[in-house]
């Protein structure tokens, strides 16, 4: 008789479904249990029961209850057991004194590599601290300080100089090679580098024209210098011919822009002042920029051939700014010149050389690889990237491989200021260089490398570092509130100020009063610039370079200046009462100045209907009447003009069933105020935030 198709033979370890099926024998002859597991195999070897105990406890059992851990899971478990937990994740902690050095624009991944942590864990920790960032996002110094403090590390963001030093050391290049003390037998005299500065139309370019006997003025647009140029001239002095290098700038803006990149180019500044015009606002700006750079100044009193020329007036005015002529007992040389007629040119050159010999050590080692600074650069259609460089030490030769900022290449040709081909350039020699891959920036340093591959790698790493630093949030510079903390941390010891006012008398009175403040031991107050008129971009640039605070007295910033100051992190303060400015500066120096905050209304909403919710409490169905209602902002409830709920927060904000972050005017929404449920139809919900109040 054929068996039914639905009947199957009994599986091992199971009782037969048919009648008369006797008990089966498990391994070792023991009867099978009702569950199908061998009765005697509960703790035996190799039991295969699906639901019995052999799969759970048997040695080598193949039951589902056995779950083996991988080596990675065991290692992660061990790390979690050994590392403290923060915010639900395990992060290795420091002892509070462990220093971690990070480059500008570093990311969480860079920090994680330094402390051998998981970047994802640091992202989670940063999230619990109120900051959201990805593992590869560039972060600013303040964010790293918060994260480091939480984890027990001291964060040090290296300066651009230290970053450059570490970069070059990785290529076995000594960043401080030109700063090392060398033997006197290796040093040779070099020409001084002179920058000509002054007020517009006071004759700067015409003076250089008279010195070089060229026609630079005729080639300029409207008689105003449109580019930066560097030239070298020869001057006969006491039976010897000495060279002087002049840098012709379009003003002190470029001078400060190069200083902002760490370029110390100028040895001496020549301040040009018209004898018939006297000291003008740009004259004062140029003077302050030169003094901030701490370079000697020679004054050229120009236009002595014109009627009404009064050099004594110029000397008296400049005495007020700290430039005292030698005949008045000072140490500043004043030379009377006429650029139009060529009078006094030799005396001016002699004064420059005498000042250089008296105040500076004009020596350098020409017998090594060249190092210097890019003065200007442009892209020429026929010649490619053309850079005007100033050699500061060593000798630059055709065929050398150089790197300048993020540009690199082999020197294919060099030209002097007259367009003549040169093959070598020694210290203080300006030349035009062809062969760079891209156009460097004014103020970028250059040096010679052994091969082109090294130059390319250095340029690429510099470009990456600059890009990361730009992507990071810009670090805020010194402000009045944090000046005392910066002094305590040893970051600064001088409070630099820039004063701008509506009239010169008010500026002078403010400066005199500020300088009389008793600042205490170890702290200095310094006014690096003062002027009349609106706050300009030049003021912000100077404050950026010298980490200064701008004080505006009855003046406001010019167009787009406020955006530039915010972008650069420069602190600007505006006052209309002189005593308020004096009090703030004095309190800042004593570490007592705290920021003032004011309430700024964001929006108002009218309650139309109240919805009851067992989970969220009462929800105010509202329509926005003005402004914007944002989630997590402060709020208050008004009923018939009276405040009935204060110190509230918009905990939830919805549009229909969707959670939203903000709702604008004339749109309906649901507003939840947390535990506050005393809200009725017709009430007004007002949202606001506290913002730092600018001092007036």
């Amino acid at each position: 008789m054929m068996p039914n198709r639905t009947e199957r033979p009994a599986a091992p370890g199971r009782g037969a479904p048919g009648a008369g099926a006797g008990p089966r024998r498990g391994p070792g002859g023991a009867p099978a249990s009702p569950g199908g597991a061998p009765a005697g195999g509960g703790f035996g070897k190799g039991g295969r029961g699906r639901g019995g105990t052999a799969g759970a406890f048997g040695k080598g059992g193949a039951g589902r209850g056995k779950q083996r851990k991988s080596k990675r899971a065991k290692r992660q478990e061990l790390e979690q057991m050994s590392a403290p937990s923060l915010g639900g994740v395990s992060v290795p902690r420091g002892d509070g004194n462990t220093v971690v050095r990070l480059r500008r624009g570093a990311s969480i991944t860079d920090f994680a590599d330094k402390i051998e942590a998981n970047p994802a864990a640091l992202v989670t920790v940063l999230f619990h601290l109120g900051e959201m960032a990805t593992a590869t996002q560039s972060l600013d110094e303040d964010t790293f300080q918060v994260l480091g403090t939480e984890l027990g590390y001291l964060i040090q963001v290296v300066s651009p100089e230290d970053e450059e030093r570490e970069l070059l050391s990785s290529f076995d290049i000594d960043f401080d090679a030109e700063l090392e003390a060398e033997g006197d037998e290796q040093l040779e005299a070099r020409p001084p580098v002179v920058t000509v500065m002054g007020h517009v139309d006071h004759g700067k370019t015409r003076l250089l024209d008279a010195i070089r006997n060229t026609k630079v003025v005729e080639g300029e647009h409207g008689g105003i210098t449109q580019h930066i140029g560097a030239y070298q001239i020869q001057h006969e002095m006491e039976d010897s011919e000495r060279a002087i290098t002049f840098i012709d700038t379009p003003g002190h803006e470029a001078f400060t822009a190069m200083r902002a990149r760490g370029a110390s180019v100028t040895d001496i500044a020549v301040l040009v002042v018209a004898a018939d015009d006297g000291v003008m606002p740009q004259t004062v700006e140029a003077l302050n920029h030169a003094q901030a750079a701490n370079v000697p100044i020679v004054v050229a009193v120009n236009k002595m051939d014109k009627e009404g020329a009064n050099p004594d007036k110029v000397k008296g005015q400049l005495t007020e700014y700290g430039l005292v002529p030698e005949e008045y007992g000072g140490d500043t040389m004043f030379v009377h010149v006429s650029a139009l007629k060529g009078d006094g040119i030799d005396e001016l050159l002699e004064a420059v050389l005498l000042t250089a010999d008296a105040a500076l050590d004009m020596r350098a080692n020409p017998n090594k690889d060249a190092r210097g600074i890019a003065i200007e650069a442009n892209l020429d259609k026929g010649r490619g990237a053309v850079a005007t460089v100033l050699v500061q030490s060593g000798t630059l030769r055709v065929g050398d491989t150089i790197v300048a900022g993020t540009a690199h290449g082999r020197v294919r040709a060099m030209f002097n200021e007259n367009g003549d081909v040169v093959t070598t350039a020694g210290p203080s020699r300006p030349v035009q260089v062809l062969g760079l891959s891209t156009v460097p920036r004014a103020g970028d340093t250059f040096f010679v490398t052994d091969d082109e591959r090294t130059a390319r790698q250095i340029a690429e790493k510099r470009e990456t570092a600059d890009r990361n630093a730009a992507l990071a949030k810009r670090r805020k510079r010194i402000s009045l509130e944090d000046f005392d903390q910066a002094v305590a941390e040893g970051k600064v010891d001088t409070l630099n100020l820039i004063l701008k006012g509506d009239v010169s008398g008010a500026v002078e009175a403010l400066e005199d009063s500020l300088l009389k403040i008793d600042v205490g031991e170890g702290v200095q107050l310094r006014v690096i610039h003062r002027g009349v008129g609106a706050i300009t971009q030049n003021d912000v640039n100077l404050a950026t370079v010298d980490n200064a605070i701008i004080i505006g007295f009855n003046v406001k910033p010019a167009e787009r200046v406020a955006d530039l100051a915010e972008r650069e992190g420069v602190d600007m303060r505006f006052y209309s009462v002189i005593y308020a400015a004096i009090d703030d500066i004095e309190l800042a120096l004593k570490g007592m100045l705290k920021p003032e905050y004011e309430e700024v209304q964001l929006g108002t909403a009218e309650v139309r209907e109240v919805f009851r919710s067992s989970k969220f409490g009462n929800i105010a169905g509202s329509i926005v009447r003005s402004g914007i209602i944002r989630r997590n902002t402060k709020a208050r409830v008004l009923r018939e003009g009276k405040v009935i709920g204060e110190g509230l927060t918009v905990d939830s904000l919805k549009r229909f069933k969707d959670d939203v972050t903000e709702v604008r005017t004339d749109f309906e929404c649901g507003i939840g105020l947390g535990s506050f449920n005393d809200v009725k139809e017709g009430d007004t919900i007002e949202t606001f935030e506290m913002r730092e109040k600018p001092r007036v």
Side-chain angles (χ1 to χ4, degrees), residues 159-188:
S159 64
E161 291 78 11
D162 291 338
E163 186 177 338
E164 181 74 6
R165 185 177 289 105
E166 293 178 1
L167 170 63
L168 297 183
S169 64
S170 64
F171 292 93
D172 294 329
I173 299 175
D174 189 359
F175 175 80
D176 298 316
E178 72 276 10
L179 302 179
E180 294 179 354
E182 304 183 47
D184 291 339
E185 67 278 0
Q186 296 177 315
L187 299 178
E188 297 181 8

Side-chain angles (χ1 to χ4, degrees), residues 44-48 54-55 57-63 66:
K45 297 183 179 180
R48 302 181 60 85
F57 301 100
K59 186 177 180 182
K66 181 66 176 177

Side-chain angles (χ1 to χ4, degrees), residues 39 69 123 145 546 578:
K69 293 183 179 179
V123 171
Q145 293 290 356
D546 291 297
I578 189 171

Side-chain angles (χ1 to χ4, degrees), residues 275 301-309 337-343:
V301 184
N302 194 21
K303 300 185 180 182
M304 288 296 297
D305 57 308
K306 296 188 66 174
E307 293 185 7
V337 299
S338 172
L340 184 63
K341 294 185 177 182
D343 298 337

Side-chain angles (χ1 to χ4, degrees), residues 195-205 207-208 224-225 247-253 255 269-274 277-290 297-302 318 538:
T195 297
V196 179
M197 308 167 70
H199 188 73
V200 64
D201 198 33
H202 274 200
K204 299 188 301 293
T205 306
L207 179 61
L208 279 173
I224 300 176
T225 306
I247 297 178
D248 182 17
T249 70
H252 46 273
E253 299 90 346
F255 179 83
V270 172
L271 183 65
V272 180
V273 186
D277 208 4
V279 175
M280 302 297 288
Q282 284 190 358
T283 308
V284 178
E285 289 185 12
L287 170 62
N288 291 330
H289 283 239
I297 299 174
V298 175
V299 179
V301 184
N302 194 21
L318 290 178
N538 295 333

Side-chain angles (χ1 to χ4, degrees), residues 200-357:
V200 64
D201 198 33
H202 274 200
K204 299 188 301 293
T205 306
R206 189 172 292 278
L207 179 61
L208 279 173
D209 178 43
I211 293 173
R212 292 176 284 124
N213 289 323
T214 58
K215 299 295 181 181
V216 175
V217 174
E218 297 178 1
E220 304 293 347
H221 297 282
I224 300 176
T225 306
Q226 302 294 326
H227 69 282
I228 305 173
Y231 316 90
Q232 191 171 92
I233 59 98
Q234 300 292 328
H235 175 63
E236 293 184 2
M237 183 179 178
E238 297 180 357
D239 300 330
S240 64
E241 193 173 64
R242 296 182 59 178
I244 303 176
T245 298
F246 284 90
I247 297 178
D248 182 17
T249 70
H252 46 273
E253 299 90 346
F255 179 83
T256 303
M258 286 189 287
R259 282 189 60 220
R261 298 190 179 97
S264 300
V265 183
T266 305
D267 296 320
I268 297 174
V270 172
L271 183 65
V272 180
V273 186
D276 63 333
D277 208 4
V279 175
M280 302 297 288
Q282 284 190 358
T283 308
V284 178
E285 289 185 12
L287 170 62
N288 291 330
H289 283 239
Q291 289 179 335
N294 196 26
V295 298
I297 299 174
V298 175
V299 179
V301 184
N302 194 21
K303 300 185 180 182
M304 288 296 297
D305 57 308
K306 296 188 66 174
E307 293 185 7
N310 189 355
D312 293 333
K313 173 185 175 183
V314 174
K315 294 177 182 178
Q317 290 176 333
L318 290 178
T319 302
E320 300 176 3
Y321 296 94
L323 294 184
V324 182
E326 290 181 331
E327 55 264 35
Y328 293 175
D331 55 0
T332 303
M333 298 188 70
F334 281 68
V335 182
H336 299 170
V337 299
S338 172
L340 184 63
K341 294 185 177 182
D343 298 337
I345 301 301
D346 291 338
E347 289 79 1
L348 176 62
L349 299 179
E350 190 169 337
V352 169
L353 292 173
L354 289 174
T355 302
D357 294 339

